[in-house]
């Protein structure tokens, strides 16, 4: 144990951990307060609130999967170029050339799993009535997170640029064409005209905005790529911060009063 | 290849599957004998042995397959109507007889029967092809996890409700004391992360992510399906035009979810599982989430094939299957059949007046009517805004089942049909 003691007494160690190991009550409290990551948690929690049969661990697992997606996603970005010329082949070589290549698998199955766990998390929060005062607002934050998570999944679906991808996205984005007023096949869009000039046509409607074109092509690939890799993840990260902050400020995980 | 031929690796795989089921049932039997329930212990030991027999048969390559008679009768009773009606009936029965269904033994029986059926079903080539498609694996997980969590939540609710009825606090209250996050929570989190990583890595090694032929805008696959989590919405396209199924109804789902905490005025049931104290809220949510979302996703994934036609579990996806479409608009019913008048010379407004009146009555007259009659007590407690928001949201949710029933019973296509303005309901 001499080496262990030597390390723990060194200036380097002490500069990182400002207090002894969390073996007694005092240090277990201090560790939660001095570590920025642990500080996401309160120091103590209601026992019922952390029971596996109560939260099903689903919020936490959703968060964990988000982190997994971030790490594997960044690694995937090293290999993938969002152009018609390269996209499909880059995915192919990910499978055929890369040693121990399960990167794409981890990313894809992790994303599927995250959709399931976020639903189960919402389901649990509903069934325990945890959206009731004072947690109404955090439930709303959660709903936005849910929508963003589905959009993350949806935008990522296009990137492999295979048959599965473009047709699934075509089916999905065709809906935008039918947006009331804003889609050129949507109710009411016909009435939006100035002096006989239609404002909403296939080159100016909601679907065009989403795809950057009249069909799922290279501009759509670029838009989905940017949304998938930058815009939506940033928004999700921000909202998760708000979500966690509010879990604590609303009195911690809910419990019977 | 003929569907009756089972490959050796499939039979070995099934053999291991049944071994696992046998172990699960031996474990359950030993649990039963531990709580001194001799009869149950006996039953589940027998069941475990039955699974062992299955395992041996498969290891010995006896080639047991599901008989064509059973497959055909399953397919014969399956169609969109029976599927949906059974889902609703199942949910109703589950809620009504919740004390019975939340007994561990009952749940275990249902689980074992389901797993046994799945094992046999796997011997059918069509079923196997759909279930084992890599992208469909999450749906299998979804079915089991939603089933299990629903059961678990209701079990705790039943226990809590019984406690509350005799004046005791819910179970959650018993563990009201505080514990330190280090070690009680952080170790759980660490363990959860390790387990999740393990599962994800194994999953990724075993199943390759799919990659089909390169995208080609000329070759439209049939069926063209949206990603699985949107298949509930795609299923709605059978009954509604895209502007409803793809835009209005999803928007209402999001708005409704966000509004939910502000509508639900019931102070009880905050922070513990209960059913009795929140009957209305829970029933509505289960109908929306389990039946109108999850059940429709399962339908869209496994039972919708080429041309979005319905196919039974064992029915091969034949792209040439034709289903007669003889759907009729409400205006036809009223003018042609009701008054015997041709609609040729009518303007769209006159033609669609009955439908428009019906929709307006549904949206505008029904809420005040409910407020005056059966939902009076809600109206009084909730006040104007909350009440109308609640009723409107529920009306949008019920629009789908209402349209379904109208389609199945009187072949109704559109209630309002104004193609000139893309305004069809
Ligand atoms: C990226 C998505 C999400 C993440 C990472 C996340 C994470 C978490 C975590 C870790 C908790 C602590 C308790 C628990 O694990 O159950 C929590 C609580 C909560 N979440 Fe989420 N959540 C997400 C999405 C949602 C959604 C979709 C909803 C609802 C629509 C929601 C509503 C809530 C509420 C109301 C609480 C407080 C519950 C209580 O105090 O018992 N969250 N969330």
């Amino acid at each position: 144990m001499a080496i262990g003691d030597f390390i723990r007494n060194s200036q380097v160690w002490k500069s990182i951990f400002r207090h002894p190991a969390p073996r007694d009550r005092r240090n277990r409290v201090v560790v939660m307060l001095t570590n920025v990551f642990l500080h996401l948690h309160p120091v103590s929690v209601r026992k019922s609130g952390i029971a596996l049969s109560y939260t099903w661990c689903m919020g936490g697992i959703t968060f964990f999967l988000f982190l997994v997606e971030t790490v594997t996603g960044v690694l995937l970005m090293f290999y993938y170029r969002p152009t018609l010329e390269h996209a499909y082949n880059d995915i192919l070589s990910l499978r055929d050339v890369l040693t121990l290549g399960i990167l794409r698998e981890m990313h894809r199955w992790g994303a599927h799993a995250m959709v399931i766990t976020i639903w189960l998390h919402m389901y649990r929060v509903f069934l325990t009535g945890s959206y009731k005062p004072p947690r109404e607002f955090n439930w709303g934050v959660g709903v936005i997170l849910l929508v963003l998570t589905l959009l993350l999944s949806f935008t990522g679906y296009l990137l492999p640029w295979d048959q599965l991808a473009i047709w699934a996205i075509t089916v999905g984005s065709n809906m935008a064409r039918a947006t009331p007023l804003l889609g050129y096949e949507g109710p009411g869009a016909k009435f939006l005209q100035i002096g006989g000039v239609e404002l909403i046509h296939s080159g100016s409607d909601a679907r065009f905005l989403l795809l950057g074109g009249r069909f799922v092509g290279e501009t759509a690939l670029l838009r989905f790529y940017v949304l998938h890799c930058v815009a939506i993840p940033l928004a999700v990260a921000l909202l998760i911060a708000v979500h966690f902050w509010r879990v604590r400020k609303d009195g911690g995980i809910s419990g019977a009063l | 290849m003929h569907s009756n031929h089972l490959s050796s690796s499939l039979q070995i795989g099934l053999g291991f599957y049944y071994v696992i089921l046998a172990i699960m049932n031996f474990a359950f039997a030993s649990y039963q004998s531990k709580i001194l329930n001799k009869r149950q212990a006996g039953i589940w030991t027998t069941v475990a042995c039955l699974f062992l027999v299955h395992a041996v048969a498969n290891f010995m390559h006896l080639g047991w397959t599901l008989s064509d008679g059973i497959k055909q009768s399953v397919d014969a009773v399956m169609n969109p109507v029976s599927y949906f009606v059974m889902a609703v009936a199942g949910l109703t029965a589950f809620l009504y007889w919740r004390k019975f269904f939340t007994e561990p033994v009952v749940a275990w029986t249902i689980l074992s029967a389901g797993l046994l059926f799945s094992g046999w079903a796997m011997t059918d080539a069509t079923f196997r092809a759909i279930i084992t498609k890599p992208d469909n694996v999450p749906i299998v997980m979804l079915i089991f996890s939603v089933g299990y969590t629903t059961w678990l939540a209701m079990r705790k609710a039943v226990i809590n409700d019984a406690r509350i009825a005799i004046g005791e606090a819910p179970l959650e209250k018993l563990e009201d004391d505080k514990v330190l996050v280090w070690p009680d929570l952080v170790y759980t989190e660490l363990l959860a992360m390790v387990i999740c990583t393990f599962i994800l890595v194994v999953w990724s090694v075993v199943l390759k992510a799919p990659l089909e032929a390169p995208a080609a805008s000329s070759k439209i696959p049939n069926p063209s399906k949206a990603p699985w989590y949107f298949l509930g919405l795609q299923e709605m396209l059978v009954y509604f035009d895209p502007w409803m199924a793809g835009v209005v109804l999803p928007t209402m789902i999001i708005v409704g979810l966000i509004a939910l905490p502000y509508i639900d005025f019931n102070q009880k049931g905050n922070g513990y599982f209960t059913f009795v104290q929140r009957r209305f809220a829970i029933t509505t949510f289960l109908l929306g989430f389990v039946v109108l979302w999850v059940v429709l996703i399962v339908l869209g994934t496994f039972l919708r094939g080429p041309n979005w036609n319905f196919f039974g579990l064992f029915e091969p996806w034949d792209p040439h299957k034709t289903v007669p479409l003889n759907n009729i608009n409400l205006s036809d019913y009223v003018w042609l059949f009701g008054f015997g008048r041709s609609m040729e010379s009518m303007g769209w407004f006159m033609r669609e007046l009955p439908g428009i009146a019906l929709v307006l009555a549904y949206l505008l007259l029904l809420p005040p009517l409910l407020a005056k009659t059966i939902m009076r007590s809600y109206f009084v407690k909730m006040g104007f805004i909350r009440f109308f928001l609640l009723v409107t949201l529920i009306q949008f949710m019920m629009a789908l089942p209402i349209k379904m029933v109208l389609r199945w019973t009187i072949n109704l296509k559109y209630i309002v049909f104004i193609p000139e303005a893309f305004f069809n309901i």
Side-chain angles (χ1 to χ4, degrees), chain A residues 41-48 53 88 104-105 108-109 112 123 126 128 131-133 139 153 162-163 178, chain B residues 135 150 156 175-177 179 181 189 209-210 212-213 216 219 228-229 243 257 264 266 268 270-271 278 286:
Chain A
H41 305 85
V43 170
S44 65
V45 284
R46 221 176 280 121
K47 205 168 165 190
S48 65
S53 63
Y88 184 78
R104 187 175 162 229
E105 279 69 24
R108 190 179 186 96
W109 304 143
H112 283 330
Y123 197 31
F126 176 82
T128 55
Y131 58 85
K132 298 189 178 206
W139 167 271
S153 229
D162 62 345
Q163 281 288 75
Chain B
D135 260 347
T150 307
K156 298 195 117 199
E175 299 194 323
D176 208 20
D177 44 334
V179 291
V181 167
E189 287 177 345
E212 297 187 353
K219 279 181 274 170
W228 62 269
Y229 35 83
W243 74 277
L257 281 174
D264 186 353
N266 183 356
K268 289 188 195 137
N270 184 346
R278 300 171 59 208
L286 286 183

Side-chain angles (χ1 to χ4, degrees), chain B residues 164-223:
Chain B
I164 293 167
I166 54 171
E168 285 177 9
L171 289 175
E172 286 82 354
K173 177 82 183 157
L174 301 184
E175 299 194 323
D176 208 20
D177 44 334
K178 291 234 168 179
V179 291
L180 284 182
V181 167
W182 187 298
D184 280 62
L185 180 54
V186 285
Y187 279 88
T188 316
E189 287 177 345
L190 182 69
L191 199 64
M193 286 196 275
V194 172
I195 294 173
C196 287
T197 310
F198 179 76
I199 294 176
L200 197 58
V201 168
V202 170
W203 186 3
S204 302
V205 169
V206 173
L207 275 187
K208 285 274 124 201
L211 188 65
E212 297 187 353
S217 47
S218 52
K219 279 181 274 170
I220 307 181
N222 186 10

Side-chain angles (χ1 to χ4, degrees), chain A residues 22 25 28-29 31-32 38 41-51 53-54 56-57 61 64-65 68 88 91-92 95 101-102 104-106 108-110 112-113 115-116 119-120 122-124 126-137 139-140 143-144 146-147 150-151 153-154 157 160-164 166-169 171-172 174-176 178-180 184-188 190-191 254-257, chain B residues 133-135 138 141-142 145-146 149-150 152-153 156 170 172-173 175-186 189 192-193 196-197 200-201 203-205 207-221 224-230 234 237 242-243 245-248 254 257-258 260-262 264 266-274 278 281-282 285-286 289-290 293-294 297 420-423:
Chain A
R25 198 186 150 83
R28 283 174 172 170
V29 171
V31 69
M32 300 307 297
L38 293 177
H41 305 85
V43 170
S44 65
V45 284
R46 221 176 280 121
K47 205 168 165 190
S48 65
I50 56 168
S53 63
Y54 185 73
W56 309 340
C57 208
I61 293 180
F64 175 67
L65 287 171
V68 170
Y88 184 78
I91 300 283
L92 259 189
R95 182 180 70 191
I102 57 165
R104 187 175 162 229
E105 279 69 24
M106 298 246 326
R108 190 179 186 96
W109 304 143
H112 283 330
V115 171
I116 297 179
W119 287 352
L120 293 177
M122 179 186 77
Y123 197 31
R124 171 316 266 183
F126 176 82
L127 288 171
T128 55
S130 304
Y131 58 85
K132 298 189 178 206
R135 297 183 180 81
E136 309 99 305
F137 177 74
W139 167 271
V143 176
I144 307 290
L146 173 69
V147 174
L150 291 178
L151 287 180
S153 229
F154 184 69
Y157 216 85
W161 203 249
D162 62 345
Q163 281 288 75
L164 194 64
I166 65 158
W167 291 105
I169 301 308
V171 170
N174 273 347
M175 302 290 160
T179 314
Y184 83 100
E185 284 183 3
K190 280 252 163 60
F191 305 122
S254 57
L257 296 174
Chain B
K133 231 178 112 191
D135 260 347
M141 294 182 171
L142 180 71
S145 56
V146 169
T149 48
T150 307
L152 181 68
K156 298 195 117 199
E172 286 82 354
K173 177 82 183 157
E175 299 194 323
D176 208 20
D177 44 334
K178 291 234 168 179
V179 291
L180 284 182
V181 167
W182 187 298
D184 280 62
L185 180 54
V186 285
E189 287 177 345
M193 286 196 275
C196 287
T197 310
L200 197 58
V201 168
W203 186 3
S204 302
V205 169
L207 275 187
K208 285 274 124 201
L211 188 65
E212 297 187 353
S217 47
S218 52
K219 279 181 274 170
I220 307 181
S224 277
K225 290 190 180 184
W228 62 269
Y229 35 83
F230 288 149
Q234 201 174 353
L237 283 175
W243 74 277
V247 185
V248 173
I254 297 168
L257 281 174
I258 294 179
L260 190 151
Y262 305 98
D264 186 353
N266 183 356
Q267 306 280 321
K268 289 188 195 137
N270 184 346
Y272 52 95
F273 290 99
T274 168
R278 300 171 59 208
I282 291 185
F285 196 87
L286 286 183
F289 177 64
V290 178
W293 190 252
V294 175
I297 286 175
E420 297 89 332
F422 295 111
F423 188 82

Side-chain angles (χ1 to χ4, degrees), chain B residues 366-379 387:
Chain B
L366 197 58
L369 197 71
L370 288 172
K372 288 216 132 190
T373 55
I374 47 173
M375 292 183 80
R376 205 185 140 68
S377 64
Y378 278 79
F379 180 64
F387 180 80

